[in-house]
Amino acid sequence: MSGPVSIIVPLFNEKENVRPLHQAIEEALKGMDFELLLVNDGSTDGTGETVDAIAEEDSRVRVIHFVRNYGQTAALTAGFRKARHEQIVTLDGDLQNDPKDIPGLLSHLGDDCDVVCGWRKDRKDPYLTRKLPSKMANGLISRLSNVRVHDYGCTLRAYKAEFVREVPLYGEMHRFLPIYVTWAGARLKEVPVTHHPRTQGKSKYGLGRIPKVLLDLTTLKFLRDYYVTPIYFFGLVGLVLVLAGLISGALAICAWSWWDMPILASCLTVVAPMLILFGVVQVTLGVMTEVMIRMHYDIRDKEPFRIRSTRNMED
């Protein structure tokens, strides 16, 4: 698939890496028509001033400054919304992704492929703190989503813009983009890419992200199976609780009347109405969620971030 391309790079405290990255992208895309969107995600180390200076020197560079740090998901979402071209490539700003891989990814976009995911097959990161948790997470995500991808954590990807411009991303959901675009009907490929060790700056990722990933994965599972009909989830849980409460109540009557088991009867007498009450609450929650989902479809253009200022973004 030929044509102009939008390159999106989220940046958070990457002052030392921005200029080398800009130069590397220029070299890799020499002769190509491209724009470079640098999203400054509330950096505090001078990254903002550096990207503004680059934008002054190169009109192809467009800059978005967030008022504070919102995270990589919001930064990518802002880039998707502002990208001008129908081909979009995303990559990290730490120079661990190699811009030389971009033309190769773009060469796979076409009639039979809508999204190309990079696979850091030979990943240059510590094994115990980065590679092993990532491998376990990738396996779990693939199993639960039925979208088989080796490397959900690799930001280096190429997209047809139609599949990502309106994707609703929140929290840490950017890693699940292959799943979202597959839901939207995109055909996906995975291609091995080069991965370099970090030489400057400090990594923003670590074991502390694991709980967030697990919680987001739980949300994703719910969205996949019950997003349109949450009453099926909450209602089923509620009905099970009500049934358990009725059974407990029946057992309590038997324990009081025929079994001569006063301790069991007392416990069941307390538990039965609680289970029924919790069940009713669950069903009510399901109904309320259904109403909220219906309201959601009436809400448009609500972005999960605020922009402080921009450069070269007039149109």
Side-chain angles (χ1 to χ4, degrees):
M1 183 175 176
S2 60
V5 58
S6 297
I7 312 295
I8 300 172
V9 183
L11 299 166
F12 179 61
N13 291 345
E14 296 288 358
K15 179 181 178 181
E16 301 93 340
N17 293 318
V18 174
R19 282 199 176 276
L21 178 64
H22 175 239
Q23 294 168 2
I25 291 174
E26 279 191 312
E27 285 293 320
L29 303 186
K30 188 173 294 184
M32 294 178 60
D33 183 5
F34 73 93
E35 65 170 351
L36 176 59
L37 286 91
L38 301 177
V39 185
N40 174 30
D41 186 19
S43 298
T44 57
D45 68 339
T47 297
E49 291 79 2
T50 303
V51 296
D52 280 343
I54 294 173
E56 288 288 339
E57 301 161 6
D58 186 349
S59 61
R60 295 170 301 182
V61 177
R62 307 168 68 206
V63 177
I64 299 172
H65 296 285
F66 284 173
V67 298
R68 64 172 176 82
N69 177 241
Y70 286 95
Q72 190 171 0
T73 297
L76 289 174
T77 301
F80 292 149
R81 299 288 196 271
K82 302 298 183 180
R84 292 169 171 160
H85 303 312
E86 294 307 310
Q87 296 179 106
I88 295 176
V89 171
T90 61
L91 72 158
D92 286 327
D94 55 12
L95 292 175
Q96 290 194 263
N97 295 143
D98 195 331
K100 292 179 182 177
D101 287 318
I102 293 175
L105 295 181
L106 291 172
S107 69
H108 288 277
L109 288 181
D111 294 337
D112 63 341
C113 180
D114 305 303
V115 176
V116 186
C117 297
W119 172 18
R120 298 167 294 181
K121 198 170 184 179
D122 184 20
R123 185 172 176 179
K124 307 298 184 182
D125 281 324
Y127 182 77
L128 288 179
T129 59
R130 298 291 297 277
K131 293 169 70 173
L132 180 60
S134 178
K135 185 175 181 180
M136 296 171 63
N138 289 326
L140 179 62
I141 296 169
S142 293
R143 183 176 181 84
L144 291 179
S145 67
N146 293 322
V147 179
R148 304 295 175 180
V149 172
H150 289 92
D151 193 356
Y152 274 95
C154 183
T155 305
L156 183 54
R157 296 172 183 152
Y159 305 89
K160 290 182 181 177
E162 62 187 284
F163 290 100
V164 291
R165 280 207 175 105
E166 301 303 324
V167 172
L169 295 177
Y170 302 93
E172 300 276 340
M173 289 292 190
H174 63 274
R175 70 185 69 254
F176 302 127
L177 266 169
I179 300 173
Y180 280 108
V181 296
T182 301
W183 290 353
R187 292 155 298 181
L188 187 147
K189 284 185 181 179
E190 194 172 22
V191 176
V193 295
T194 305
H195 190 244
H196 300 292
R198 177 185 273 272
T199 58
Q200 299 184 93
K202 185 178 179 181
S203 174
K204 316 305 184 297
Y205 305 103
L207 294 176
R209 295 173 65 89
I210 292 177
K212 294 181 180 179
V213 173
L214 293 176
L215 291 172
D216 282 336
L217 183 57
T218 302
T219 302
L220 185 74
K221 177 69 174 175
F222 178 84
L223 292 176
R224 189 191 76 168
D225 295 339
Y226 302 107
Y227 178 66
V228 179
T229 54
I231 188 63
Y232 290 168
F233 173 80
F234 292 106
L236 179 61
V237 173
L239 290 176
V240 169
L241 289 173
V242 169
L243 179 60
L246 293 175
I247 293 174
S248 298
L251 292 175
I253 293 174
C254 293
W256 282 118
S257 302
W258 297 294
W259 296 345
D260 192 25
M261 302 175 67
I263 296 178
L264 176 62
S266 298
C267 292
L268 291 174
T269 300
V270 174
V271 169
M274 291 179 61
L275 288 173
I276 294 173
L277 177 61
F278 289 155
V280 172
V281 169
Q282 283 290 316
V283 174
T284 303
L285 182 60
V287 173
M288 292 173 62
T289 308
E290 283 280 326
V291 173
M292 293 174 64
I293 289 296
R294 299 301 180 263
M295 292 173 62
H296 167 77
Y297 287 110
D298 295 328
I299 299 174
R300 295 293 183 269
D301 299 324
K302 180 66 175 177
E303 306 289 9
F305 53 81
R306 289 182 60 204
I307 294 173
R308 184 186 301 280
S309 61
T310 63
R311 287 276 182 152
N312 299 341
M313 303 289 291
E314 288 76 13
D315 58 345

